[in-house]
């Protein structure tokens, strides 16, 4: 069963890269100045995965790397599924998907090199992914703008409140 699960994951990555390649074909050549909510969410997911996988590769935790790649693939699949029509694809979202696809392939290249080379070519790149430098992390995308805090009454958790990261105590208490 473990081999079948791995085979399904490899097939899923191949299909996902194919979908990303179709979206990436609409991407502008230059980086957009601003990103919409969907594009920003894709970029954040990509850079969070890059951060986690980079850290785990350094510590030789390859099983955790694959788990992070699996989570990242889920996030990309959900982002693609949220696009209702081809006309809803904005240039910033297409650029974010192209960047995320490149990062995804580079993340799983150490674990699945043959698949990574095929996916790299499917994304339209020349040369080999194994010869590319490791992607650069944008630390600003790792910072969350909101924080979820628990609400306790008489020592028991009753709810959660999501507030901006820089909210004042009075604003948090009002929420």
């Amino acid at each position: 069963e473990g081999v079948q699960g791995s085979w399904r994951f490899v097939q899923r990555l191949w299909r996902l890269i194919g979908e990303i390649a179709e979206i990436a074909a609409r991407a502008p050549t230059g980086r957009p100045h601003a990103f919409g909510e969907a594009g920003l969410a894709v970029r954040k997911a990509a850079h969070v995965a890059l951060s986690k996988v980079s850290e785990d590769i350094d510590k030789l935790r390859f099983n955790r790397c694959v788990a992070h790649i699996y989570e990242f693939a889920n996030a990309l699949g959900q982002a693609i599924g949220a696009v209702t029509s081809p006309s809803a694809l904005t240039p910033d979202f297409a650029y974010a998907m192209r960047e995320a696809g490149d990062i995804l392939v580079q993340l799983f290249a150490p674990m699945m090199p043959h698949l990574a080379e095929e996916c790299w070519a499917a994304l339209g790149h020349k040369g080999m992914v194994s010869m590319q430098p490791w992607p650069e992390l944008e630390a600003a995308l790792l910072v969350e703008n909101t924080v979820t805090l628990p609400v306790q009454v008489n020592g028991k958790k009753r709810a959660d409140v999501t507030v901006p990261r820089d909210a004042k105590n009075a604003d948090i208490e009002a929420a």
Side-chain angles (χ1 to χ4, degrees):
E1 287 185 30
V3 172
Q4 291 174 354
S6 297
W7 180 82
R8 283 192 306 268
F9 182 58
V10 166
Q11 294 300 314
R12 186 166 168 249
L13 285 174
W14 178 250
R15 285 190 308 271
L16 183 62
I17 292 299
E19 292 173 359
I20 290 171
E22 289 179 21
I23 294 171
R26 301 171 183 244
T29 55
R31 181 179 171 175
H33 296 292
F35 287 91
E37 186 177 327
L40 189 59
V42 167
R43 292 193 75 227
K44 281 187 175 191
H47 286 272
V48 165
L50 175 60
S51 172
K52 290 178 179 180
V53 171
S54 297
E55 180 180 328
D56 286 339
I57 283 177
D58 288 343
K59 294 179 181 178
L60 303 177
R61 295 178 178 163
F62 299 115
N63 288 340
R64 288 180 59 173
C65 292
V66 173
H68 295 310
I69 292 167
Y70 195 91
E71 291 171 2
F72 181 35
N74 285 341
L76 290 178
Q78 289 174 352
I80 291 171
V83 175
T84 55
S85 68
S87 62
L89 287 176
T90 59
D92 65 306
F93 181 76
Y95 181 88
M97 288 303 290
R98 183 176 65 196
E99 177 186 26
D102 290 350
I103 289 173
L104 176 63
V105 171
Q106 288 178 300
L107 291 181
F108 70 74
M111 279 71 73
M112 298 176 264
H114 296 88
L115 175 65
E117 295 300 342
E118 289 294 323
C119 290
W120 193 251
L123 288 172
H125 295 290
K126 304 294 183 210
M128 300 179 71
V129 68
S130 58
M131 302 303 291
Q132 301 301 314
W134 194 249
E136 290 291 324
L137 180 67
E138 287 188 35
L141 293 172
L142 301 179
V143 178
E144 288 295 323
N145 297 332
T146 60
V147 177
T148 302
L149 301 171
V151 177
Q152 290 185 347
V153 177
N154 294 330
K156 292 186 178 182
K157 180 181 172 189
R158 301 293 183 185
D160 289 324
V161 175
T162 303
V163 294
R165 177 173 285 288
D166 57 352
K168 305 287 184 222
N169 281 344
D171 297 334
I172 295 172
E173 289 173 4

